[in-house]
Amino acid sequence: MLDALAHTLRSNPGRPAVLGTTRTGAVRTRATCGELADLADRYAVALHARGVERGATVGVAVRPGPRALAVMLAAHRLGVRVAVLDPGAGPDVLRARLALARPDLVLADAAAQAVAGWARPLARRVRLALPDLGELGGPVATVGRRLPGSAPTLEAGARARSLSGGGRGAGLASGALGLPRPVDEDGDAVIVFTSGTTSLPRAVVHTRSSLAAGMATVTDLVRPEPGRPVLGGTFFVLVPSLASGAPVALPARSPRVLARQMRRLSPQATYLTPPHLRAALAEDARFTGRVWTGSAPASAGLLTRVKEAGADEAWGVYALTELFPAAAVEQADKAAFASDGDLVGAPLPGVDAKTGPAGQLLLSGPAVRDRYLGEAADPWVDTGDRARLEDGRIVLEGRCKDMVLRRAENIYPGLYEPALHVAGVELALLVGVPAGDGDERLVAVVQPRRGADRARVRAALAAPLERMGGARPDALVFADIPLSGRSLKPDRAATAALAAERLTAERAGGRGR
């Protein structure tokens, strides 16, 4: 797929590739196909001049956009493994991840580095925080515009190395160095960190073939048409869309500007996470074409609102870092599903699904990750989700670790949470709050939609709460549910702590719910 993208970019150099937006929502071209291809070639030359070759590891802390994509294309050409460094993870976590990945070179944009004192406020404003990478012992290069205190730029550093006689490209400036021959063999392609502590981080390793299989599945699922824009900023949106000849618009950060951008753009397909969809809907965004969402739970109610706002189709995508994508379900099917649990759809072509002894969902297929970094290869991924297979479709029943133990009864929140998404509800979780002697209270934490009447929401919840039988919550709390991570998923631990605090305050005040 990346080879096909490189060919498409060179075949249509003047065509817009990556689009941005102004505050008014007007479309602007951030890079044409030719500019993106030239940038990827320059990065490949510069990396080669630094002695970065097949099998090396390059850490990348570059925000989504043309530069980040060009780095990936350059790494692919050289057979280099990319370790994705999330600038929002915090310095301690990133130090641990760097120690595990042991990159030969770190590429970071200037805002992510935030080394100079006056640049730190800039980094904080865009929620980026990296340790001083220069203190970690390995070489660092800046991608894009360099700010005071940043490391030398990738290309400037390559020229200096070549002119001083160092590296495998000795004696040649990067501008004169020939473009390296592309690697045409399978091997490690990317390291993506998923979980773990600062002392024991965990990372997924995808190979070139598993990435290609995942992107082929996305292409078959979304079917992007040439020339019509696609809205979305993830790697799995950018590559298949651009390779198919469709320009990709990076979503605006501001929900209000995003709504304007969508009106101006009229994309054929849109991929936004559920939190971004909710934020856009709050600004009365209008959708066009087909809309896809994933990375966090998407209720039937949310998908219905997206279709009511103009989308031809609204799809929930079940995906993991270890396997993207795994299953998909359209709003009509999800809304018609009346059984307990969360229907996420049939496994996509090539994906095998089964359940383990404890009911955990296991997945395999060509797009599955090769292994976890430092561990042996394993063709099956334990998703950590409890599930059942019903009529060939996957129905989630909650996270295995999210089980609540109440009066010696195991309660799996995922079985019942979909029923709480009645009219007027934005998000809803069932969490356990310690009740002494190892027991827990089951609390429903409900976040009403903006402007919703809480009395009406409470009345609408009465029937689904009654149907829960032995899993009926001990308490109902209205509150904004905390979100966490890059995908802004509901944070269960923080929600449980919030529920415990709220119930304690209510008991102290002599009030009940």
Side-chain angles (χ1 to χ4, degrees), residues 125-186:
R125 283 200 299 274
V126 293
R127 297 183 179 180
L128 303 178
L130 281 176
D132 186 340
L133 298 171
E135 297 176 354
L136 301 179
V140 182
T142 298
V143 172
R145 179 170 173 250
R146 181 180 179 273
L147 296 177
S150 301
T153 63
L154 172 61
E155 294 167 275
R159 284 196 297 272
R161 182 181 178 92
S162 297
L163 291 170
S164 66
R168 295 175 178 82
L172 288 173
S174 64
L177 191 67
L179 190 63
R181 184 185 300 275
V183 170
D184 189 22
E185 300 175 6
D186 200 9

Side-chain angles (χ1 to χ4, degrees), residues 14-346:
R15 189 169 63 191
V18 181
L19 308 175
T21 186
T22 66
R23 290 183 179 275
T24 64
V27 179
R28 65 184 183 92
T29 299
R30 291 187 56 178
T32 64
C33 291
E35 289 168 343
L36 186 56
D38 288 343
L39 190 59
D41 286 350
R42 293 209 314 269
Y43 288 164
V45 169
L47 288 169
H48 183 71
R50 284 175 171 267
V52 177
E53 294 184 341
R54 183 177 183 273
T57 299
V58 173
V60 177
V62 180
R63 287 168 293 173
R67 292 192 184 100
L69 182 55
V71 166
M72 291 295 296
L73 287 170
H76 177 76
R77 182 182 189 92
L78 298 174
V80 169
R81 181 171 69 174
V82 168
V84 180
L85 304 175
D86 178 11
D92 293 339
V93 171
L94 282 166
R95 284 190 181 94
R97 292 177 174 180
L98 285 166
L100 178 63
R102 300 171 63 86
D104 300 282
L105 174 69
V106 172
L107 303 178
D109 56 30
Q113 293 178 64
V115 176
W118 67 270
R120 292 187 187 278
L122 168 65
R124 284 196 295 269
R125 283 200 299 274
V126 293
R127 297 183 179 180
L128 303 178
L130 281 176
D132 186 340
L133 298 171
E135 297 176 354
L136 301 179
V140 182
T142 298
V143 172
R145 179 170 173 250
R146 181 180 179 273
L147 296 177
S150 301
T153 63
L154 172 61
E155 294 167 275
R159 284 196 297 272
R161 182 181 178 92
S162 297
L163 291 170
S164 66
R168 295 175 178 82
L172 288 173
S174 64
L177 191 67
L179 190 63
R181 184 185 300 275
V183 170
D184 189 22
E185 300 175 6
D186 200 9
D188 290 353
V190 65
I191 300 172
V192 185
F193 293 90
T194 59
S195 60
T197 64
T198 56
S199 60
L200 191 62
R202 202 175 197 204
V204 167
V205 180
H206 274 284
T207 61
R208 293 158 67 96
S209 59
S210 69
L211 274 187
M215 289 185 288
T217 301
V218 172
T219 302
D220 293 341
L221 185 65
V222 179
R223 304 186 304 279
E225 299 177 10
R228 298 182 58 197
V230 172
L231 179 65
T234 70
F235 183 72
F236 276 91
V237 171
L238 281 162
V239 174
S241 300
L242 290 173
S244 300
V248 178
L250 303 179
R253 291 193 182 98
S254 161
R256 183 169 297 177
V257 177
L258 175 60
R260 295 170 182 163
Q261 179 186 22
M262 292 167 63
R263 283 195 293 271
R264 294 284 194 96
L265 197 65
S266 297
Q268 61 167 308
T270 296
Y271 184 91
L272 296 172
T273 64
H276 290 136
L277 282 182
R278 289 191 290 268
L281 287 166
E283 296 294 338
D284 297 322
R286 297 297 300 173
F287 293 87
T288 56
R290 288 171 293 162
V291 177
W292 310 82
T293 189
S295 301
S299 67
L302 177 60
L303 297 180
T304 299
R305 291 170 60 197
V306 169
K307 287 185 76 169
E308 290 173 347
D312 296 330
E313 299 174 5
W315 289 81
V317 179
Y318 179 59
L320 305 93
T321 306
E322 294 88 343
L323 176 57
F324 188 103
V329 62
E330 209 277 323
Q331 175 271 340
D333 289 335
K334 188 151 187 164
F337 185 70
S339 301
D340 291 335
D342 182 18
L343 174 67
V344 295

